Amino acid sequence: MPAIVSAKIENELRDGPEVSPELDALMRNARDASDFLKALSHESRLLLLCLLAERERSVTELENILSLRQASVSQQLARLRLEDLVTTRRDGKAIYYSLANDDVRRVISVIYDIFCEKDQKA
Amino acid sequence: MPAIVSAKIENELRDGPEVSPELDALMRNARDASDFLKALSHESRLLLLCLLAERERSVTELENILSLRQASVSQQLARLRLEDLVTTRRDGKAIYYSLANDDVRRVISVIYDIFCEKDQKA
DNA sequence: AATTCATATTCGCATACGATTATATATAGA
DNA sequence: TCTATATATAATCGTATGCGAATATGAATT
């Protein structure tokens, strides 16, 4: 993470109270990032993504593994779709979900590492 | 991310509807992780953490840089304290905040990379 | 075309969260 | 001790979010 961020911003601060272009960009990014993170920040949705990080799965599979109600799983998947965290593929009656891109995979991987790897050590 | 996760879980699934110890652990971790992520998932709090990732800062500094109201900054910092994402140090009248641990730093770093580095490329 | 299985959507409600305003605490200095 | 400054907390209120129950869609099978 480069130190550029606040250096530029603090320079602009001396010039006056107007919002600098750098700060403006940073704020837009923060908004995007927080939308992304809000989609992740849910117990069930994290579990869903965790399972999808291994391979694609149908909705029914996910329901069974997590013992969640159909409507619930479907709703959380809809939320994840909305934020483009997952993609779908239809095969007959079933719909298979998988992670949409590598950004999601990276974040899930870090989170998994922080919160699950500790179990291995203990 | 090891494939162990669902392998074990799916084995247990065949034995019956009881919640397996592995799934149980995974669910506890998911709860912890989602609490952690919920604390991050907020535009202002992300910006705060981003600034603190560079160095410690006083509340007033943070207010000025982000042009946010005092109460707002203080409340968001309180939220971050609650989840142990930041620590504080008092120096005279001022209170200096900084990131509490390396886990936060890692996550912020990935998020910064995904949502801010793209600006450099463009 | 009727039924079934898989998935999605809608509705109503309760709860959580954030912004604002006001007030409180704590430290420093006169 | 009185005042000013820095920070924290509380109260209110509007909005968003998740859950449960019910209903809808859509593909496959008879």
Side-chain angles (χ1 to χ4, degrees):
Chain A
M1 213 158 54
I4 303 164
V5 187
S6 51
K8 279 192 184 168
I9 288 169
E10 279 166 314
N11 282 337
E12 303 277 344
L13 271 180
R14 290 185 207 103
D15 299 345
E18 321 87 34
V19 178
S20 80
E22 276 78 14
L23 181 55
D24 195 58
L26 189 60
M27 284 172 63
R28 255 198 312 280
N29 291 335
R31 183 183 303 272
D32 292 346
S34 72
D35 286 343
F36 174 85
L37 287 170
K38 274 176 191 159
L40 287 182
S41 309
H42 186 275
E43 189 178 341
S44 306
R45 290 197 295 267
L46 270 181
L47 288 168
L48 290 170
L49 291 169
C50 213
L51 292 171
L52 296 179
E54 294 201 328
R55 53 178 154 96
E56 68 169 11
R57 310 214 186 227
S58 72
V59 180
T60 305
E61 275 183 86
L62 295 169
E63 285 173 39
N64 291 334
I65 296 178
L66 299 180
S67 311
L68 291 177
R69 310 209 170 203
Q70 186 269 319
S72 179
V73 171
S74 199
Q75 273 181 88
Q76 306 308 339
L77 288 173
R79 183 82 167 70
L80 294 174
R81 254 183 292 137
L82 200 73
E83 211 68 45
D84 288 317
L85 301 194
V86 296
T87 50
T88 59
R89 171 180 79 83
R90 175 179 277 269
D91 181 11
K93 295 184 207 167
I95 292 187
Y96 287 87
Y97 278 77
S98 49
L99 295 193
N101 58 63
D102 228 52
D103 290 344
V104 191
R105 196 174 297 278
R106 281 176 68 195
V107 175
I108 288 293
S109 175
V110 173
I111 296 299
Y112 185 88
D113 198 48
I114 294 175
F115 290 91
C116 297
E117 292 300 332
K118 63 173 171 44
D119 292 347
Q120 312 303 334
K121 293 174 200 150
Chain B
M1 215 159 52
I4 303 163
V5 187
S6 50
K8 279 192 185 167
I9 287 168
E10 279 166 313
N11 283 337
E12 302 277 345
L13 272 180
R14 291 184 206 103
D15 299 344
E18 322 85 35
V19 178
S20 80
E22 276 78 15
L23 182 55
D24 195 58
L26 189 59
M27 285 173 62
R28 253 197 313 280
N29 291 336
R31 182 182 304 271
D32 292 346
S34 71
D35 286 344
F36 174 85
L37 287 170
K38 274 175 191 159
L40 287 183
S41 308
H42 185 276
E43 189 178 341
S44 306
R45 290 196 295 267
L46 271 181
L47 289 169
L48 290 170
L49 291 170
C50 212
L51 293 171
L52 296 179
E54 294 201 327
R55 54 181 153 94
E56 71 167 8
R57 307 209 187 233
S58 72
V59 180
T60 304
E61 275 183 85
L62 295 169
E63 284 174 39
N64 291 333
I65 296 179
L66 300 180
S67 310
L68 291 177
R69 312 208 169 206
Q70 185 269 321
S72 178
V73 170
S74 197
Q75 271 181 80
Q76 305 308 340
L77 288 173
R79 184 84 165 68
L80 294 175
R81 253 184 292 136
L82 199 73
E83 211 68 44
D84 288 317
L85 302 194
V86 296
T87 50
T88 61
R89 171 180 80 82
R90 174 179 278 269
D91 181 13
K93 295 184 207 169
I95 292 186
Y96 287 87
Y97 278 78
S98 49
L99 296 194
N101 60 61
D102 229 51
D103 290 344
V104 193
R105 196 173 297 278
R106 281 176 68 194
V107 175
I108 288 294
S109 175
V110 173
I111 296 300
Y112 185 88
D113 197 49
I114 293 176
F115 289 91
C116 297
E117 292 300 332
K118 63 174 169 48
D119 292 346
Q120 312 302 336
K121 293 174 201 153

